[in-house]
Amino acid sequence: MTTSAATTSRRRFSGAGRPWVPYAFVAPFVVLFLIFLVAPIVVGIVNSLFSRKSAGLGFGGSSIDFVGFDNFVRAFADSDFLLGFPKVLLYGAIQVPVMMVIAAGLALLFDTALVKAKRFFQFAVFLPYAVPSVIAALLWGFLYQPSVSPILQFLSSLGIDANLLAPGTVWWSIGNINLWSLIGINMIILFAALQSVPREMYEAARIDGAGEIRTALQIKLPMIAPAVLLTTLSSVIGTLQLFNEPQVLQSITSNIPSDFTPNMAIYAASTLGKDPNLSSAMAVILGLATLVVSLLLLAANRRTTKAASDGI
């Protein structure tokens, strides 16, 4: 093949002269992104500015009127909805660090030569993530009921009366389900990030006399800081949007009210309260709160990274 023919072939393969080719490949993602993410957000914001009003005690029909920020005022006046935020934030302040420590510890452990059959144990840790959250809540809900749980029945035979759905323990039970379900995916992300760290750095650390723990804390974790931030941020967002686990457990215990979390309060306002406009305003507030928490976390991480680089 001559040089000119090879050049022509490369141009034809690269799509030279067809500037629309890259956009054609991106178009399906953009369309789905607009339909399933942007459009629901826009619809929710628009719905939050309107309200359905009935005339004649409901017999005269109803009309949808523009009410501005009245639904937001009603949402902020709902103390049960607002109290859900500090509850999930306190829950996340405990659950997220515990999950990240366990996930990072497992990832670091699998990155060493101490573990045999790594593939099997990685699959075993990751497997719970493949179970849908609703199914996971149903499975653990079975284990939380004293009348049918073999674990609680065994503890009862030892004289230990454990009620995992009591008001003081139900949050821990929900946290256990989330830990069981999500540690695996976070571990996989962190482990994958560890594989991109140059092995020469480990060898240099060993020459300097660093052990496994020192290498993990001073080299491995700083090198995968972006992956740690990503998993932490997604965990925080998931915490603020907590819904499936308490919603499922609500069917087996009276200690989880319909407004137990902000997302449950939004669902209750839309279904039980039959007020989709109010629930849309609540959803917008929850989305803004999630955005603020995420930005604060990113700012704190940026400040910490800058301080560490200045110290170096």
Side-chain angles (χ1 to χ4, degrees), residues 131-144 177 180 248-249:
V131 179
S133 57
V134 173
I135 303 301
L138 289 172
L139 292 173
W140 282 100
F142 170 82
L143 296 175
Y144 291 157
I177 300 175
W180 182 78
V248 172
L249 295 180

Side-chain angles (χ1 to χ4, degrees), residues 9 26 31 35 61 71 76 89-90 112 129 136 138 143 159 175 185 188-189 209 231 233 253 271 290:
S9 177
V26 176
V31 171
I35 292 176
N71 289 320
F76 280 112
L89 288 175
L90 179 60
T112 66
Y129 178 72
L138 289 172
L143 296 175
I185 184 62
I188 289 294
I189 294 174
T231 51
L233 189 60
T253 178
T271 55
T290 304

Side-chain angles (χ1 to χ4, degrees), residues 167-243:
T169 57
V170 66
W171 274 109
W172 300 102
S173 299
I174 295 173
N176 174 67
I177 300 175
N178 274 324
L179 289 175
W180 182 78
S181 301
L182 300 176
I183 283 178
I185 184 62
N186 290 323
M187 180 273 296
I188 289 294
I189 294 174
L190 297 179
F191 179 78
L194 284 171
Q195 304 313 296
S196 64
V197 179
R199 298 294 157 175
E200 293 79 6
M201 300 184 65
Y202 303 159
E203 296 175 2
R206 294 189 185 96
I207 294 175
D208 292 339
E212 290 291 342
I213 296 179
R214 183 181 172 187
T215 301
L217 296 179
Q218 296 185 1
I219 297 179
K220 293 184 177 182
L221 284 180
M223 291 296 293
I224 63 170
V228 174
L229 176 62
L230 171 65
T231 51
T232 301
L233 189 60
S234 62
S235 299
V236 170
I237 293 174
T239 297
L240 289 172
Q241 298 176 347
L242 185 65
F243 178 78

Side-chain angles (χ1 to χ4, degrees), residues 87-162:
K87 287 192 295 185
V88 295
L89 288 175
L90 179 60
Y91 164 81
I94 299 173
Q95 190 260 352
V96 172
V98 171
M99 177 168 58
M100 292 308 304
V101 168
I102 297 175
L106 289 172
L108 292 170
L109 183 62
F110 290 141
D111 193 53
T112 66
L114 300 176
V115 180
K116 306 300 181 182
K118 292 183 181 180
R119 298 288 184 183
F120 169 78
F121 288 108
Q122 286 175 348
F123 176 76
V125 175
F126 176 77
L127 186 59
Y129 178 72
V131 179
S133 57
V134 173
I135 303 301
L138 289 172
L139 292 173
W140 282 100
F142 170 82
L143 296 175
Y144 291 157
Q145 298 183 70
S147 59
V148 294
S149 172
I151 298 176
L152 294 183
Q153 290 177 0
F154 173 74
L155 293 176
S156 179
S157 65
L158 298 178
I160 302 175
D161 187 15

Side-chain angles (χ1 to χ4, degrees), residues 271-285:
T271 55
L272 301 178
K274 300 186 183 302
D275 195 339
N277 303 105
L278 175 61
S279 65
S280 295
M282 290 178 171
V284 172
I285 293 172

Side-chain angles (χ1 to χ4, degrees), residues 2 12-13 19 33 38 95 123 139 144 147 164 198 200 245 251 273 279 288 297:
T2 63
R12 186 181 298 112
F13 179 77
F33 179 80
V38 176
Q95 190 260 352
F123 176 76
L139 292 173
Y144 291 157
S147 59
L164 301 179
E200 293 79 6
E245 293 81 5
S251 61
S279 65
L288 292 175
L297 184 61

